Amino acid sequence: MPRPTLLANQIASSPTIAMNDKAKQLAAEGHSVIGLAGGEPDFDTPPHIVEAAVKALRDGETRYAAPSKGIRPLLDAIAEKMETDNGVRLNPMSDIIVTPGGKLALFLALKALLDPGDEVLIPAPYWVSYPSVTTMVGGAPVEVETTAADNYRLRLEHLREFVTPRTKAIIVNSPCNPTGHMLSSAEIEAVATLALEHDVYIISDEIYEKLNFDGRPAISLASIPEIADRVLVINGMSKAYAMTGWRLGWVAGPTELAAVAGKFNSQTATSAATFAQHAAVAALTGPQDCVETMRQSYEERRNFIVQAFNDIPNMSSPDIEGAFYAFPKVDETSKTSEEVANIILDEAVVVGVPGSAFGVTKDAHVRFSFAEELGKLKEAVERIGSIAHKLA
């Protein structure tokens, strides 16, 4: 009987998919399920982007992309976007690799940086894929847990405790999935200081940068001159432009690292779909009012859901500064986050993802996406409130 590799045994299955599978079973049994586990906008891709893809298909843009790192119009559009939006100047032909989705961009960034056994600091709560992808490329994930009580702040003295001679990089996500936390200027300074003190590289996941609230801009770590030569930016089209199914991301940074990432890209994915890249050009260079419309809708839902969770006895939710997730906590409970999430699923028929999936071990958190129409969010919170006494 063939056996999987030892590395395969270290890779966790997606907890989001596991919760969704359980929800599908309940729905098949006739239950009215409200699914808030996924990280997907509920908007359709804006029409002008779709039309650009259709035109590209009709124009015969169905062959391998040339160059494999991305078609020139898209590389130029990304470089222009990063200079205009982020204050980061890049050479479009040497510093950017277009990928089929953000996960591959993360994979390429880590692969470009890590030798076997190199350690990567991963502040928790974190996106569920960070530790697994680090392990996949032969690195060693080192989880650095932060707390809701401290608003998930990254503090230099705390980060220093986890640095060893094998520390090679730190992954930073702002706005953060699952908390919605955005880095403050003090946190940016802390990460920069750590990188310079210990010769650490920074992978800056900026996929939610356009979904920020209260007029607070997302700052790219690559825009800090002192550390620009050690920052790899991960970004893509999925969240801001409602293009999850198009599978388009990018990794951008210093020429030497981008060149290594490009080698791995050419030997794995080869390239992102050509017609989809033409759609991405239309997204980045076309009207941006669609992005603002979606952002305002998420902000309205944020305003509702934070207050709604704080109104439920024995539950609390800190403010959400960006992205489209709530990460409420059961304040007084003997139950784990898995137990809480399963009670909410079984009793309220609302699907969330337990906080343990995001590296949180001290408190009973559950992540809920509010990329869903307001009516369903209101019903979901009402259902959870009705069974809140069972969560203690």
Side-chain angles (χ1 to χ4, degrees):
M1 173 73 92
R3 292 181 297 174
T5 65
L6 293 175
L7 178 60
N9 290 330
Q10 300 176 49
I11 306 301
S13 299
S14 169
T16 303
I17 292 174
M19 292 301 288
N20 279 331
D21 285 346
K22 189 171 181 181
K24 288 176 184 176
Q25 180 60 38
L26 287 171
E29 294 170 359
H31 297 278
S32 175
V33 180
I34 299 178
L36 304 179
E40 184 163 34
D42 60 318
F43 295 93
D44 291 330
T45 303
H48 71 282
I49 301 172
V50 175
E51 288 304 315
V54 172
K55 182 179 186 302
L57 286 167
R58 289 176 173 156
D59 289 346
E61 299 290 353
T62 57
R63 301 180 183 276
Y64 292 127
S68 66
K69 68 177 66 176
I71 61 173
R72 183 61 192 262
L74 181 53
L75 296 173
D76 287 343
I78 293 170
E80 175 65 24
K81 169 256 176 294
M82 292 195 67
E83 183 169 1
T84 301
D85 292 353
N86 308 114
V88 177
R89 180 167 293 183
L90 298 169
N91 183 326
M93 292 306 296
S94 63
D95 302 344
I96 302 166
I97 308 295
V98 176
T99 61
K103 280 186 180 179
L104 186 63
L106 173 66
F107 177 92
L108 295 178
L110 287 166
K111 196 68 178 170
L113 285 173
L114 303 184
D115 288 313
D118 282 348
E119 296 174 352
V120 179
L121 303 185
I122 305 177
Y126 50 68
W127 179 42
V128 295
S129 291
Y130 293 152
S132 290
V133 177
T134 299
T135 301
M136 285 167 61
V137 304
V142 177
E143 299 181 11
V144 181
E145 190 161 349
T146 62
T147 64
D150 194 32
N151 197 28
Y152 311 110
R153 291 184 179 90
L154 300 183
R155 298 193 178 274
L156 181 59
E157 60 273 18
H158 185 51
L159 292 171
R160 282 176 175 148
E161 295 173 8
F162 295 85
V163 174
T164 76
R166 295 307 304 266
T167 303
K168 190 67 171 288
I170 181 172
I171 300 177
V172 179
N173 178 209
S174 177
C176 174
N177 171 10
T179 65
H181 176 65
M182 294 176 64
L183 293 180
S184 66
S185 57
E187 290 174 287
I188 291 172
E189 182 178 351
V191 172
T193 300
L194 184 86
L196 294 170
E197 280 184 351
H198 299 281
D199 194 22
V200 169
Y201 287 91
I202 301 165
I203 296 176
S204 181
D205 184 348
E206 302 176 8
I207 195 74
Y208 293 99
E209 63 164 344
K210 290 184 179 293
L211 306 182
N212 49 73
F213 310 134
D214 305 318
R216 181 173 182 168
I219 305 298
S220 174
L221 287 166
S223 68
I224 311 301
E226 294 79 8
I227 57 172
D229 62 349
R230 60 182 64 240
V231 178
L232 280 170
V233 173
I234 305 299
N235 210 327
M237 312 302 297
S238 292
K239 312 302 182 179
Y241 295 94
M243 294 176 68
T244 51
W246 298 76
R247 310 313 303 133
L248 278 170
W250 69 80
V251 55
T255 301
E256 296 80 6
L257 292 176
V260 177
K263 289 180 181 179
F264 287 112
N265 185 59
S266 68
Q267 294 290 4
T268 53
T270 301
S271 65
T274 307
F275 68 89
Q277 293 191 54
H278 283 278
V281 174
L284 292 173
T285 63
Q288 301 298 300
D289 55 318
C290 54
V291 177
E292 177 60 14
T293 296
M294 290 186 277
R295 191 205 65 78
Q296 289 179 6
S297 179
Y298 294 136
E299 185 165 21
E300 178 186 3
R301 301 175 206 182
R302 184 282 308 259
N303 295 341
F304 162 75
I305 208 159
V306 169
Q307 185 62 52
F309 275 123
N310 284 324
D311 286 343
I312 296 176
N314 199 33
M315 291 191 77
S316 59
S317 173
D319 194 17
I320 301 165
E321 298 165 336
F324 45 58
Y325 305 103
F327 200 55
K329 177 171 74 78
V330 180
D331 294 321
E332 301 291 338
T333 184
S334 60
K335 295 179 174 60
T336 65
S337 62
E338 293 97 330
E339 290 170 330
V340 168
N342 279 301
I343 290 170
I344 291 173
L345 177 57
D346 294 335
E347 301 288 335
V349 205
V350 175
V351 192
V353 183
S356 57
F358 307 95
V360 176
T361 61
K362 297 175 183 177
D363 298 305
H365 289 264
V366 180
R367 189 197 77 173
F368 300 100
S369 168
F370 53 85
E372 183 56 85
E373 63 180 28
L374 195 56
K376 284 191 177 180
L377 294 177
K378 290 179 178 179
E379 182 179 352
V381 174
E382 287 173 4
R383 290 188 190 182
I384 294 169
S386 71
I387 56 96
H389 60 284
K390 298 184 179 182
L391 305 179

